[in-house]
Amino acid sequence: MVNRNPADLPMRVKLPEPGISGNRIEELLAKRRSVRRYAERDLSETVISRFLWAAQGISSKEGLRTSPSAGALYPLEIHAVIGEGNGFEPGIYRYIAEEHTLTQEIPGDLRERLSRAALSQPMVRQAPVSLIISAVYPRITSKYGKRGIRYADMEAGHAAQNVYLLGVELGIGTCAVGAFDDEEVKKVLKLPANEEPLYILPLGYI
Ligand SMILES: Cc1cc2nc3c(=O)[nH]c(=O)nc-3n(C[C@H](O)[C@H](O)[C@H](O)COP(=O)(O)O)c2cc1C
């Protein structure tokens, strides 16, 4: 048997219990789950606006946003695929963060087509609204080269988590959907060649 100096042993410290501070953000984190079935209830204009702001809204006088961004270059775009009801004409909209506005790009209820592009995952068809997070990589690779792709992908995770956490607060579920046919989603959204879809986030009351 080898005598080991206790100082050489890896130190293991039992941490205080997580999520018990009563702090709001910890409560939201503890409750966050991916939700794949939604009630048949529309989302209001106000609720849609809140999710868009949570994902990419402007939160400082200097134009900084709710999600961190490498070099503050903001390569992400948010689209909303809105079905019948929901306070908007059905269609596909682009969020303009600087103005906090939605611009309709394609009219009509395209949820069924989006669901088919997402390997027919039913939640994408069922959700009254889905947000799509996409990246315009040249905005960030122009400064960081190939590494900019990684940075934009990381940023999409930040934005998606904001959406998840606001959802917990509002009783609205989402599920990060990464399994889809890129080219099909690009076709449904008529994305320009330099814009790549990263996430679909269906939204619906639980
Ligand atoms: C990058 C990524 C892609 C995902 N894609 C899908 C998807 O296409 N369909 C799906 O049902 N869930 C998808 N999920 C959700 C995971 O299945 C889910 O987060 C995991 O089961 C853990 O459950 P929780 O989010 O409730 O904690 C994805 C999650 C991540 C992070």
Side-chain angles (χ1 to χ4, degrees):
M1 174 148 158
V2 183
N3 269 337
R4 293 181 68 181
N5 182 339
D8 296 336
L9 294 172
M11 193 170 71
R12 186 178 298 176
V13 179
K14 179 83 180 93
L15 294 168
E17 280 304 306
I20 57 160
S21 70
N23 187 291
R24 189 83 188 115
I25 190 68
E26 286 169 356
E27 194 187 321
L28 295 178
L29 287 168
K31 287 187 178 158
R32 184 213 60 78
R33 287 276 78 82
S34 294
V35 178
R36 298 179 178 83
R37 292 171 76 94
Y38 314 108
E40 281 191 25
R41 180 176 165 193
D42 296 342
L43 303 190
S44 69
E45 224 173 279
T46 308
V47 161
I48 295 170
S49 156
R50 290 177 76 178
F51 277 107
L52 291 164
W53 184 83
Q56 271 300 284
I58 305 284
S59 56
S60 88
K61 277 196 223 95
E62 299 74 28
L64 300 174
R65 301 190 186 183
T66 48
S67 300
S69 178
L73 291 171
Y74 301 112
L76 302 183
E77 293 284 327
I78 312 289
H79 299 264
V81 175
I82 301 180
E84 293 284 352
N86 306 299
F88 290 91
E89 235 184 76
I92 299 186
Y93 294 76
R94 183 185 292 266
Y95 179 55
I96 313 294
E98 293 83 355
E99 303 168 356
H100 191 59
T101 58
L102 268 185
T103 305
Q104 195 191 60
E105 299 201 309
I106 311 169
D109 187 344
L110 287 142
R111 291 175 299 165
E112 176 67 44
R113 275 195 64 199
L114 184 66
S115 166
R116 268 188 266 131
L119 318 181
S120 295
Q121 296 191 64
M123 61 195 150
V124 178
R125 182 184 326 113
Q126 205 212 341
V129 175
S130 282
L131 300 185
I132 286 95
I133 302 178
S134 58
V136 181
Y137 289 118
R139 274 187 212 154
I140 191 155
T141 52
S142 56
K143 177 163 182 184
Y144 295 113
K146 234 177 82 187
R147 202 167 180 83
I149 293 172
R150 178 195 296 216
Y151 289 167
D153 295 350
M154 288 168 163
E155 285 181 42
H158 293 296
Q161 182 78 349
N162 289 357
V163 168
Y164 262 102
L165 294 181
L166 178 63
V168 181
E169 177 71 23
L170 300 180
I172 291 171
T174 190
C175 178
V177 172
F180 53 77
D181 181 320
D182 295 349
E183 288 313 310
E184 283 304 313
V185 171
K186 285 175 85 161
K187 266 192 225 157
V188 177
L189 271 73
K190 296 197 171 123
L191 294 184
N194 67 359
E195 193 175 331
E196 290 298 325
L198 295 177
Y199 256 152
I200 300 174
L201 299 166
L203 294 172
Y205 280 96
I206 297 170

